[in-house]
């Protein structure tokens, strides 16, 4: 009997989870050294195939830039591995001999991983490496529009793992993903943790599954170019960041907020770096192509080049245009340029001063980017701290490319393709998610302190009086000058207790 597509997808998922559970039971018995050797082989193999996988991703999804996806693949393989290779993730990971506490790591088990269409190969590498480093198995649900390149990435990882002695089925996937199969994967009784990167619906489903889950939120990232900034350098970084892989990283800048005092200089530098400013008529055309409804971005522009988007909008722009910009003065779900646009399209806001800039940035984040990231270019460290405290985000990127700085490429943040948004964004973690988030820790703790536990019915005052009795008896004996053998200590204790009791009842 031939199963229909949904049933076939569900069955494939169930088979993958079954194999993964069995493989993980064997894998978790491996030594730290053995697991590390497998993870190293996976990272090396994925890194070596980074260029081909980048090409496959662009061809299949129609999104992004091969050279930029290559960099993301390198971050997702080599950089992630380098950041976690020396971590202890199996067995005893820490011993505090002074306080007599021993920490023992143990894996979650089978991790369900949801992969987005915007970063289909780099995210698959990253999640596989991080999951296995922590002793887990992984079952992946690719995005339907990126299934070929994602599955190919997983096959490369699995082959490398098998060559190093990993059990069969440790890395699994759904080759023909469906929404029903993905939802059932997240609620499968043998899945122990969900690692979800994707649209808001999928992330909410992950958190509603009843399983522990790491999800991420949208990143409507404002970038503030303050008047003390190195304008030439800052603008180049902003343009390079916004156009990186055609804007497909959630940490990419979405709107520029600039001090009025330097607005004209910033605009000139933007134009010098390949930006095209839309006139009022062109802005209206762009608004129609950016949004398909209040708060909804047109998926047809995601990851597309500025030239392609201009063509879709019916706008003629120079052939060297890298970025489309419109000046804006409003923030709302009905204002397309103020939304998160995973594409080389920018809104430019002008602020009278830093206080007004702060309010504008807060508006943009509250519209759809709470918890994610904020970018600032300035030479004023005091201002950095002021904005850092005020912004409801998990990452503040200073004088760098927000898109790749947030994932750890140009900063000392942990290399990761899953960026937590914390309580601001309704996430369990505000960290860049990595291997240390994918295992549990049990603790062996020895008793160090004596406890004086009152007996039932004994009041607090009576418990304290025992110490008072001892002290008063000692004092009475010393003052009496009598030899210890001449003293009836029991009688004295009874008298002291009686006196204290009468005193406490007064």
């Amino acid at each position: 009997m031939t199963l229909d597509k949904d049933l076939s997808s569900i069955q494939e998922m169930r088979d993958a989870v079954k194999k993964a559970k069995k493989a993980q039971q064997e894998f978790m018995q491996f030594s730290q050294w053995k697991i590390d050797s497998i993870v190293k082989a996976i990272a090396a193999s994925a890194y070596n195939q980074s260029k081909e996988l980048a090409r496959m991703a662009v061809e299949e999804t129609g999104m992004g830039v091969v050279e930029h996806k290559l960099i993301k693949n390198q971050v997702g393989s080599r950089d992630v591995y380098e950041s976690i290779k020396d971590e202890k993730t199996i067995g005893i990971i820490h011993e505090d001999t002074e306080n007599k506490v021993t920490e023992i790591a143990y894996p979650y088990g089978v991790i369900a991983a949801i992969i987005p269409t915007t970063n289909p190969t780099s995210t698959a590498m990253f999640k596989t490496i991080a999951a296995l480093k922590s002793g887990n198995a992984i079952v992946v649900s690719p995005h339907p529009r990126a299934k070929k390149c994602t599955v190919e990435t997983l096959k490369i990882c699995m082959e490398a793992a098998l060559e190093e002695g990993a059990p069969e089925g440790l890395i699994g996937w759904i080759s023909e993903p469906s929404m029903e199969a993905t939802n059932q994967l997240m609620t499968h009784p043998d899945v122990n943790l969900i690692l979800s990167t994707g649209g808001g619906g999928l992330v909410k489903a992950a958190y509603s599954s009843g399983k522990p889950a790491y999800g991420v939120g949208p990143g409507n990232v404002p970038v503030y170019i303050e008047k003390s900034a190195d304008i030439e350098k800052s603008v180049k970084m902003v343009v390079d960041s916004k156009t990186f892989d055609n804007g497909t990283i959630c940490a990419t800048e979405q709107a520029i907020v600039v001090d009025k005092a330097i607005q004209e200089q910033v605009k000139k530098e933007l134009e010098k770096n390949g930006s095209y400013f839309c006139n009022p008529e062109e802005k209206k055309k762009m608004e129609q192509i950016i949004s398909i409804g209040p708060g909804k971005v047109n998926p047809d522009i995601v990851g597309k080049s500025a030239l392609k988007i201009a063509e879709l909008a019916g706008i003629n722009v120079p052939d060297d245009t890298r970025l489309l910009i419109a000046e804006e003065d409003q923030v709302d779900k009905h204002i397309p340029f103020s939304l998160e646009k995973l594409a080389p399209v920018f809104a430019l806001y002008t602020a009278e001063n830093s206080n007004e800039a702060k309010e504008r940035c807060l508006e943009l984040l509250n519209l759809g980017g709470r918890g994610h990231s904020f970018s600032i270019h300035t030479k004023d460290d005091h201002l950095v701290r002021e904005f850092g405290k005020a912004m409801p985000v998990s990452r503040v990127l200073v004088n760098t490319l927000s898109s790749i700085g947030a994932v750890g490429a140009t900063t000392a943040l942990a290399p990761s393709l899953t960026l937590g948004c914390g309580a601001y964004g309704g996430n369990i973690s505000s960290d860049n998610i990595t291997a240390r988030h994918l295992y549990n820790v049990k603790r062996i703790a020895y008793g160090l302190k004596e406890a004086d536990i009152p007996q039932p019915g004994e009041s607090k005052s009576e418990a304290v009086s025992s110490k008072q009795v001892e002290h008063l008896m000692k004092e009475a004996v010393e003052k009496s000058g009598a030899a210890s053998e001449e003293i009836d200590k029991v009688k004295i204790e009874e008298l002291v207790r009686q006196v204290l009791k009468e005193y406490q009842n007064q």
Side-chain angles (χ1 to χ4, degrees):
M1 184 178 81
T2 303
L3 298 176
D4 67 27
K5 184 178 178 181
D6 277 350
L7 290 176
S8 177
S9 183
I10 292 168
Q11 189 58 54
E12 184 183 23
M13 175 275 295
R14 290 173 177 168
D15 291 343
V17 172
K18 184 178 181 179
K19 291 177 182 177
K21 182 181 180 181
K22 181 181 178 182
Q24 195 273 331
Q25 292 297 312
E26 179 182 347
F27 187 62
M28 68 183 295
Q29 305 302 322
F30 286 16
S31 68
Q32 182 77 71
W33 176 87
K34 183 61 176 175
I35 287 177
D36 287 350
S37 70
I38 291 170
V39 171
K40 182 179 181 180
I42 292 171
S45 187
Y47 178 82
N48 291 337
Q49 296 296 320
S50 287
K51 188 171 183 178
E52 177 60 20
L53 291 171
R55 183 192 61 77
M56 286 183 66
V58 172
E59 286 183 358
E60 184 177 5
T61 66
M63 297 179 183
V65 179
V66 172
E67 290 80 4
H68 297 172
K69 287 203 183 293
L70 168 61
I71 293 173
K72 288 200 282 191
N73 287 342
Q74 291 171 338
V75 170
S77 55
R78 176 195 59 198
D79 292 6
V80 168
Y81 169 73
E82 288 293 331
S83 71
I84 64 176
K85 66 178 182 179
D86 296 324
E87 288 187 23
K88 290 183 178 180
T89 57
I90 301 296
I92 294 175
I93 58 173
H94 180 68
E95 289 187 271
D96 184 341
T97 54
E98 181 178 349
N99 292 304
K100 303 190 76 174
V101 174
T102 301
E103 295 183 342
I104 302 173
Y106 65 98
Y108 276 91
V110 177
I111 294 178
I114 316 302
I115 309 295
T117 185
T118 47
N119 307 301
T121 54
S122 54
T123 305
M125 295 173 186
F126 149 69
K127 290 186 176 181
T128 299
I129 291 169
L132 268 61
K133 170 69 175 178
S134 303
N136 302 286
I138 188 169
V139 176
V140 174
S141 177
H143 192 283
R145 295 201 305 271
K147 60 188 180 184
K148 292 180 182 178
C149 61
T150 299
V151 170
E152 182 60 28
T153 303
L154 296 168
K155 286 179 178 178
I156 289 169
C157 292
M158 189 61 204
E159 288 170 7
L162 290 174
E163 288 181 8
E164 283 295 314
E168 184 78 45
L170 192 65
I171 303 169
W173 55 82
I174 308 171
S175 59
E176 292 293 338
S178 68
M179 185 57 73
E180 183 59 31
T182 300
N183 286 332
Q184 287 199 28
L185 171 65
M186 290 190 288
T187 58
H188 194 291
D190 290 331
V191 164
N192 308 103
L193 177 71
I194 301 168
L195 203 50
S196 181
T197 309
L202 272 175
V203 172
K204 287 180 182 178
Y207 280 121
S208 303
S209 67
K211 308 280 187 181
Y214 288 111
V216 297
N220 197 27
V221 181
V223 53
Y224 175 35
I225 303 180
E226 192 262 339
K227 61 180 180 293
S228 70
D230 182 330
I231 297 172
E232 182 179 352
K233 186 176 180 180
S234 295
V235 170
K236 184 180 186 306
M237 282 195 284
V238 169
V239 173
D240 286 346
S241 181
K242 179 61 173 172
T243 57
F244 183 82
D245 205 32
N246 287 341
T248 52
I249 296 180
C250 289
T252 300
E253 301 90 336
Q254 300 297 328
I256 301 174
V257 179
V258 62
D259 280 343
K260 186 176 182 179
I262 59 171
Q263 184 215 44
E264 289 304 317
Q265 291 173 271
V266 169
K267 288 178 68 174
K268 287 179 181 177
E269 286 299 322
L270 285 167
E271 289 175 336
K272 191 186 297 183
N273 281 274
S275 300
Y276 179 85
F277 280 85
C278 300
N279 62 38
E281 183 181 342
E282 292 169 334
K283 181 184 176 185
K284 288 181 180 179
K285 290 182 178 180
M286 283 292 298
E287 288 173 339
Q288 293 173 1
I289 200 68
I290 290 171
S291 181
I292 55 176
K296 297 180 180 178
V297 171
N298 180 1
D300 290 342
I301 72 167
V302 174
K304 299 300 191 298
S305 68
L307 292 175
K308 179 62 177 178
I309 296 170
E311 181 185 336
L312 291 173
I315 298 173
N316 293 318
V317 299
D319 291 341
D320 61 351
T321 299
R322 302 172 61 197
L323 191 56
L324 301 168
I325 303 178
E327 293 192 58
E328 187 56 83
D329 58 9
Q330 298 179 71
V331 175
D332 190 84
K333 64 182 181 180
H334 295 92
I335 309 299
F337 273 93
S338 68
L339 303 175
E340 181 190 27
K341 308 160 293 295
L342 296 176
V345 178
F346 249 147
L348 177 69
Y349 294 89
T350 302
E352 290 289 338
N353 50 50
S354 62
N355 286 331
E356 187 175 307
K358 187 189 301 179
E359 292 305 312
R360 182 64 79 191
C361 291
L362 286 170
E363 282 185 275
L364 289 160
L365 288 166
N366 288 332
L367 176 64
R370 286 179 63 85
H372 208 291
S373 305
F374 165 73
S375 179
I376 184 170
H377 290 262
T378 180
K379 293 178 182 176
D380 187 340
D381 288 337
H382 174 76
L383 198 70
V384 169
R385 292 180 181 274
E386 179 185 330
F387 271 70
K389 291 177 181 178
M391 293 299 111
V393 296
S394 303
R395 281 155 291 276
V396 175
L397 291 312
V398 183
N399 299 331
T400 191
L401 293 78
S402 180
S403 59
I404 59 175
V407 303
T410 62
T411 65
L413 296 177
S416 174
L417 274 299
T418 298
L419 309 182
C421 295
Y424 290 127
N427 294 175
I428 193 63
S429 176
S430 59
D431 292 344
N432 283 16
I433 304 303
T434 185
R436 67 175 175 272
H437 299 91
L438 305 183
Y439 61 80
N440 299 284
V441 179
K442 66 177 78 174
R443 293 168 177 85
I444 299 172
Y446 286 77
L448 300 177
K449 309 163 192 173
E450 297 297 330
D452 185 10
I453 307 298
Q455 295 301 309
E458 182 181 6
S459 69
K460 183 177 180 182
S461 60
E462 288 173 329
V464 173
S465 70
S466 297
K467 294 182 180 179
Q468 292 175 316
V469 168
E470 184 180 345
H471 174 73
L472 291 172
M473 284 180 60
K474 184 178 180 181
E475 190 175 276
V477 171
E478 289 175 351
K479 287 182 178 179
S480 70
S484 59
E485 60 269 14
E486 299 174 358
I487 297 174
D488 188 341
K489 292 183 180 180
V490 174
K491 196 167 186 179
I492 291 177
E493 182 178 349
E494 288 177 356
L495 289 171
V496 170
R497 283 187 180 279
Q498 185 177 349
V499 171
L500 283 172
K501 188 173 183 181
E502 290 174 357
Y503 174 76
Q504 291 165 347
N505 291 332
Q506 287 178 356

